[in-house]
Amino acid sequence: VLTSLALSNGFNVVSKSGPSTRIFRLGAGGDADITLAPTELPDSLQDAAEIAANACADFAEQVGALGRCRVDFDTSAGDETYTLLKQSTEFMQNLVSCISYRMVPGLMELKQGEMMKVAQARAELQALLLQSSEADGEDVGAAIEMDQGKKEELAKILENKGRDPNFKWEGPIVRVYFPDEGNAALARRDWLGPDPKVPPCVQFSSC
C-alpha cells in the first residue's frame, strides 16, 4: 500500500512495503528526513482497511480540510477477469466504513445503539423460549399465543441487525466518487441494499 500526503510546507510520502514503513519528509528546500519504523502486517483485508482508515483519519485531524491523502490498493494478486473496481470493492467498503465511524460525529453512537438493541433482543428471545419450554398444561397455549407477537418483533430486530428501517440519517455526509454514473448506481444498489455494507452517512456520485 502506498499512501501519499500533500502538505502545505512540502510533500510527505509514506511508503509501506512488507513489514516496514518508510516515511519521507521533503521540505520546501528539498531536504529529506527518512524514518524507518517496523509495523505489523495486517491479519486480514478488513484489518488492512482499518489500519489505512485510522492513518487517513489521523492525518486529516493534523492537517485539516486542505490536506489530501491517497491510498493505493494493490490488486495484482486478484482475479485478472475482474475489473479494478470489482477487485477493490470489499477493501473500499471496509475503508469507507472505518473512516466514517472514526470521523463522523454521532455515527459511532448510532452503531453502538444498534448493537445494544441486538444484544437485548437476543437475550429477551432466549428468555421467552425458556418460558415457553417450562410452561405446562393449559398454560402452554396461552403462553405461545401471548409470546408470538413479541417473538416476531425480536426476530425482526435481529434480522435488521438493530437498524430502524425507517431511520433517515440527518448528519454529515461521506461522499464516495466513482468514475461514472453506472458504477455509482451499482454501488447504491449493492452497498446500500437491504443489508447495507456501509454506514447510512455514505452517499455515491460520479466524477
Side-chain angles (χ1 to χ4, degrees):
V1 175
L2 173 65
T3 306
S4 61
L5 313 177
L7 301 180
S8 58
N9 60 347
F11 190 75
N12 240 25
V13 175
V14 180
S15 175
K16 182 172 182 179
S17 176
S20 63
T21 298
R22 297 188 177 207
I23 304 177
F24 304 86
R25 293 187 178 88
L26 303 182
D31 297 331
D33 176 21
I34 301 177
T35 303
L36 300 180
T39 60
E40 295 288 340
L41 290 173
D43 297 327
S44 63
L45 187 64
Q46 182 175 356
D47 186 37
E50 185 174 348
I51 292 173
N54 284 326
C56 291
D58 290 340
F59 169 73
E61 289 175 356
Q62 291 187 23
V63 302
L66 297 181
R68 291 188 177 185
C69 179
R70 191 183 84 187
V71 177
D72 288 342
F73 178 63
D74 185 6
T75 61
S76 60
D79 190 333
E80 294 183 355
T81 63
Y82 287 0
T83 64
L84 292 179
L85 282 175
K86 178 69 173 178
Q87 291 182 10
S88 58
T89 293
E90 183 180 354
F91 178 81
M92 273 299 298
Q93 289 172 347
N94 288 314
L95 179 70
V96 170
S97 296
C98 290
I99 288 181
S100 299
Y101 285 122
R102 169 74 185 272
M103 301 190 67
V104 177
L107 194 62
M108 180 56 73
E109 290 77 7
L110 177 66
K111 179 66 174 178
Q112 291 172 343
E114 293 171 351
M115 295 172 62
M116 183 64 69
K117 287 182 182 178
V118 170
Q120 291 176 345
R122 186 175 289 115
E124 290 183 31
L125 188 57
Q126 291 175 347
L128 287 175
L129 293 175
L130 181 61
Q131 291 175 4
S132 298
S133 64
E134 292 177 348
D136 56 358
E138 297 179 356
D139 294 335
V140 175
I144 293 176
E145 182 178 352
M146 180 177 60
D147 294 342
Q148 189 61 35
K150 185 63 174 178
K151 288 179 182 178
E152 292 178 357
E153 178 185 344
L154 295 174
K156 196 67 176 178
I157 293 175
L158 296 178
E159 181 183 349
N160 294 331
K161 299 180 180 179
R163 304 185 188 98
D164 181 357
N166 300 318
F167 174 78
K168 184 177 180 181
W169 175 256
E170 300 290 349
I173 297 300
V174 174
R175 192 170 298 279
V176 180
Y177 287 90
F178 284 82
D180 55 71
E181 183 55 35
N183 282 294
L186 288 175
R188 292 188 195 100
R189 183 195 69 184
D190 298 337
W191 296 27
L192 301 175
D195 184 19
K197 304 297 189 296
V198 291
C201 65
V202 177
Q203 295 184 5
F204 304 100
S205 296
S206 59
C207 296

